Amino acid sequence: MTVKVAIRHQLGSFTLDAAFESAGKLTALFGPSGCGKTSIINVIAGLIQPQEAHISVNEEMLADTARGSFLPAHRRRIGYVFQDARLLPHLSVAQNLAYGRWFTPKEERYADEKAIIAMLGLGELLARRPRQLSGGEKQRVALGRALLQSPRLLLMDEPLASLDEARKQEVLPYIERLRDEVNIPIIYVSHAPTEVARLASNIVLLKDGRVVKAGSAAEILPSLGLLGDEFAHETGSLLEMTVVSFDPQFGLTTLGKRHGEVTLWQGNHRSLGYEAIHQQIAITEGPTRLCHRQINVDAASFARDLKASYFFVFVFALVSVSSAVRCLRAAIFAARSMARNLEINVIPRDVSAAPPPFCPPILDVTTG
Amino acid sequence: MNWFALSLDEWNAVRLSVKVATWAMVASLPVAILIAYLLARREFWGKTLLNGVVHLPLVLPPVVTGYLLLLAFGRRGFAGAFLADTFGIVFSFRWTGAALACAVMGFPLMVRAMRLSMEAVDQKLEEAAATMGASPFWVFLTVTLPLALPGIIAGMILSFAKAMGEFGATITFVSNIPGETQTLPSAIYTYTQVPGGDPNALRLTAISVLISLAALVASEALARRVGQRVAE
């Protein structure tokens, strides 16, 4: 699964000159508003015809302006989930879902209708009209609609941006499932670091129409500051740990990483060692998989451990747990600029007591 | 006199008017949809000119339009002669000519209503349909047209109502022949010109009001139903 994109487009005084390649499952285009994120995916979708473009998905050429080829949008078979859902208001949910499928040539239809409807929980919505759906439901239908056209690539333009927090939490798990269970590359536009941290396998940082840096999520998240000072407080560290065990009775999750050591990397420079971080974590178990809640890092104890007057607040860390790979992903964002350029080494408290190859760094669990 | 017993001429005028107006509306519909679409969604050379030509009957005196039609579609007119020789279609002094005059006069109203409603269709929805594999033709057929339906219906009714009332261009082009080209307005005009014709004129006026009113009410109801269906 490789997506190759190179675009050059002049729009008034704005120049879009971006090239990136992605082999990851979900590539996030991240940057401030007006950096050209949406323009890039509109070019990939074929909705904007740029002056120069070279776009291929899995070696299939979609646009190569050097050779004068530019497939129109309707012949690209690219699923597009818009920020504002854009369901066809005169059609029912079932008809909306069937729309793209109908235009897909028979031999290229791979999408399993029943499985997708079940995966996105759309069964009960089929007879409804778009106006009878909540914002979250609309986005789920939009996801289903894009998948049912058997796309070769899925584009998502801030699909959660127009939803409130509760609706976001409703839709996010579906996007994660889609990423883990559907075998097509996804390009995801966002300006929310938490979303990107939670979903992305690769990140492309964009600023003023140019690629600032691109790479794996763990590599790029600490570098969000490259986009400018307003992003400095949003730099994050990505921490992936294996779920070693889960006790539903007490809601206890045990996480481990080889050698019981977790390194959070935050920018560069100074290195500080810590005995432990107390984290409050609430993880509840869903029917088939572990779900996600926010981790609140115990700021007080963290500051105490610093033995200095530095004041740290970790705003939040979003966690997602995928039962399939038994892996927990946490992104920790530092709220204050103090946390900039800081390397944090977290050494779990009980290294000796815990049997290798893991060590539980997380205690103090609040139950539902 | 009996208010409900129409004379043969009166009855013919009513029937002819409805027939002429219906044909004018139906025949201009596909062309109007096409032109409304071009004006609403496409950029091309001569767009302003096309827009001007479409609106011309609205600003010209009807007599001028009728006379131009006579010049073009009369037996000796370039288009009239061609159509009569090749397809056997004759317009001059026939009810078909009345339909043509009504279609031309109602055309700007029809196109205008349709164009406005097509422009009001969210282009983002059309883009979404395109990403799902719909070619421009299918986008038009499955998204633009259904969503613009209230405006299309409004345009049809406007054209019908205009045709029911068209007088100047019709009488100039195809004259006022009872049973062939004498529509309701022409008949009313004729009755006002003869002594003792007032009751007939009044009766036809009432019928004219009724038909136009019924068409308007029906279109409102229809447009509202469709509008509710397509509203988000």
Side-chain angles (χ1 to χ4, degrees), chain A residues 216-235:
Chain A
S216 72
E219 197 183 325
I220 300 298
L221 263 183
S223 313
L224 296 189
L226 288 175
L227 294 177
D229 282 346
E230 70 271 28
F231 283 92
H233 68 285
E234 298 195 288
T235 56

Side-chain angles (χ1 to χ4, degrees), chain B residues 78-100:
Chain B
F78 62 95
F82 171 76
L83 287 170
D85 294 345
T86 351
F87 302 108
I89 301 171
V90 177
F91 286 113
S92 53
F93 305 110
R94 297 279 174 84
W95 72 267
T96 46
L100 177 65

Side-chain angles (χ1 to χ4, degrees), chain B residues 4-90:
Chain B
F4 298 100
L6 295 170
S7 73
L8 187 65
D9 278 355
E10 288 171 341
W11 183 234
N12 275 340
V14 172
R15 259 200 336 213
L16 184 71
S17 257
V18 173
K19 179 163 106 174
V20 161
T22 308
W23 272 100
M25 177 182 82
V26 170
S28 52
L29 181 63
V31 189
I33 289 178
L34 178 73
I35 292 195
Y37 170 75
L38 290 179
L39 291 176
R41 282 288 186 262
R42 292 299 170 100
E43 289 306 321
F44 53 91
W45 190 88
K47 184 172 170 174
T48 319
L49 185 69
L50 178 67
N51 192 33
V53 170
V54 165
H55 281 86
L56 215 50
L58 206 60
V59 289
L60 282 180
V63 179
V64 172
T65 307
Y67 188 59
L68 287 174
L69 284 173
L70 188 60
L71 291 180
F73 289 96
R75 275 291 168 97
R76 298 207 190 115
F78 62 95
F82 171 76
L83 287 170
D85 294 345
T86 351
F87 302 108
I89 301 171
V90 177

